[in-house]
Amino acid sequence: MKRRRFDAFPYLLLLPALLMMAAVNGLPIVQGFWMSLLKLNQFTLGQYLDAPFVGWDNYRRVLFDPANPLRAGFAIALRNTVLFTVVVSTLSIGIGLGMAMLLQRNFPGRALARTLLLLPWIVPSYVVGMLWGQLWQRDTGLINTVLVDWLHLVDERPFWLIGSNAFWAIVIPTVWRGWPLLMLVFGAALQALPEEPYEAATIDGVSRWQQFLHITLPLLKPVILIQLMFQIIDNLYSYNIVSMMFGHGAGYPGEWADLLLPLLTRQSFSYWLFGQGAAVSFVLMALMLLFVGLWLKGFRRSLVDAY
């Protein structure tokens, strides 16, 4: 049997990209992990990576020390983050899929409509936070002006950035910015679906709703699963919109709008606990890697069968 010759040329072509990825992604991860093993605070910040080595003590304090400032409000932020992720992911995928299906129909100005619907996604998330922060203002915001002065749906101007309404004040802008990209992804997936099952279903008298349930959704299942995983990851790490809407850094958004990443960032910089903050970030990264691994393992058969 003839032995196959090893060809190193393709690997040489990939080498520059691998080195760039290692420099851009690998070095910051290694540096951040080293920081999580140091006693890096306001007293040792000048030493930076030469700060006293404490090993796994930062992880112990973060996970098991009830007096640790980084754990203050953690349970509330975790509750908000879970609810926020579920609601935003569900609404974004639902609206994105629905709009993608509507845009599959031929009508005058469809290309223009598709372009205009992508505008929210083009706007940077920092700008979205500042923009919606102004729209939610009680006395001068456009939303209360529309609800109270124009449509007369409510008698008094509600507080959107205080109390339980603050939760929806961060959900709606996040969904508003996120669903256009999903519309684009689902639109491309819908165009790639075969026409034969729909033609056979139409001949058999199957309604459009039944076609959607029994043909479209099963065929789109791999795309929906992948996009749902991306949505969960993005929403668990949400930071920009909340930080710009309620104040970057030390701004406290209240009980119903505080998420994990803004909480941990605020507490780390407020108390100058940079080593422990780095430890928290690696705990979150480990949990996210575990989630992605379990997710891919659970839906591996569906993804393999689709491709």
Side-chain angles (χ1 to χ4, degrees):
M1 182 177 179
K2 188 176 180 180
R3 189 175 182 179
R4 187 174 181 181
R5 183 181 177 183
F6 177 74
D7 188 4
F9 183 68
Y11 298 94
L12 292 176
L13 294 177
L14 291 174
L15 184 59
L18 293 176
L19 292 176
M20 181 61 67
M21 290 183 62
V24 174
N25 298 319
L27 291 179
I29 291 176
V30 172
Q31 178 176 314
F33 179 71
W34 178 249
M35 289 174 58
S36 71
L37 304 178
L38 303 177
K39 187 177 182 180
L40 190 61
N41 51 37
Q42 69 268 39
F43 304 108
T44 61
L45 185 60
Q47 299 173 262
Y48 194 41
L49 297 182
D50 293 326
F53 180 82
V54 294
W56 301 106
D57 187 63
N58 285 333
Y59 291 89
R60 181 190 64 79
R61 289 177 177 274
V62 166
L63 296 175
F64 305 111
D65 186 1
N68 194 315
L70 291 184
R71 297 189 62 185
F74 183 85
I76 293 176
L78 179 61
R79 176 203 65 186
N80 294 341
T81 303
V82 172
L83 291 175
F84 175 85
T85 300
V86 171
V87 174
V88 171
S89 301
T90 303
L91 291 178
S92 298
I93 289 178
I95 296 174
L97 179 57
M99 295 303 297
M101 296 188 66
L102 288 176
L103 290 175
Q104 294 303 305
R105 301 184 178 184
N106 291 319
F107 58 89
R110 184 177 68 168
L112 178 61
R114 184 185 292 114
T115 302
L116 293 177
L117 289 174
L118 284 174
L119 288 179
W121 178 61
I122 298 174
V123 179
S125 55
Y126 282 104
V127 178
V128 172
M130 291 188 294
L131 172 65
W132 281 86
Q134 295 298 320
L135 294 176
W136 291 125
Q137 293 297 318
R138 181 177 185 268
D139 297 323
T140 60
L142 180 61
I143 293 177
N144 276 348
T145 300
V146 173
L147 293 177
V148 178
D149 299 336
W150 297 359
L151 301 179
H152 304 288
L153 295 178
V154 292
D155 298 329
E156 297 182 359
R157 297 177 180 270
F159 289 94
W160 292 104
L161 300 178
I162 300 176
S164 59
N165 287 338
F167 177 78
W168 298 105
I170 61 176
V171 165
I172 293 175
T174 308
V175 174
W176 177 80
R177 186 179 185 272
W179 71 261
L181 176 61
L182 293 168
M183 175 193 69
L184 198 64
V185 173
F186 288 135
L190 287 170
Q191 291 180 357
L193 296 183
E195 297 182 0
E196 291 79 6
Y198 295 95
E199 294 175 353
T202 302
I203 294 174
D204 292 339
V206 179
S207 66
R208 289 184 178 271
W209 176 247
Q210 290 177 325
Q211 291 182 28
F212 172 75
L213 291 179
H214 301 290
I215 299 178
T216 304
L217 282 183
L219 291 176
L220 288 180
K221 183 179 178 180
V223 181
I224 294 175
L225 290 176
I226 292 295
Q227 294 306 314
L228 181 58
M229 182 182 69
F230 288 158
Q231 282 292 304
I232 292 174
I233 295 173
D234 288 342
N235 293 322
L236 283 174
Y237 285 146
S238 290
Y239 176 80
N240 294 347
I241 292 178
V242 176
S243 65
M244 297 308 296
M245 188 178 298
F246 292 94
H248 184 70
Y252 176 59
E255 179 183 354
W256 282 97
D258 205 12
L259 303 181
L260 275 179
L261 210 57
L263 166 75
L264 298 175
T265 303
R266 185 177 67 250
Q267 299 293 72
S268 297
F269 283 89
S270 297
Y271 293 97
W272 294 62
L273 300 176
F274 302 115
Q276 294 186 30
V280 171
S281 68
F282 271 87
V283 170
L284 291 178
M285 186 179 71
L287 293 175
M288 193 55 60
L289 287 174
L290 178 63
F291 162 74
V292 172
L294 294 176
W295 181 275
L296 293 178
K297 182 178 180 180
F299 296 106
R300 178 181 299 175
R301 181 175 297 275
S302 298
L303 299 175
V304 171
D305 292 342
Y307 298 103

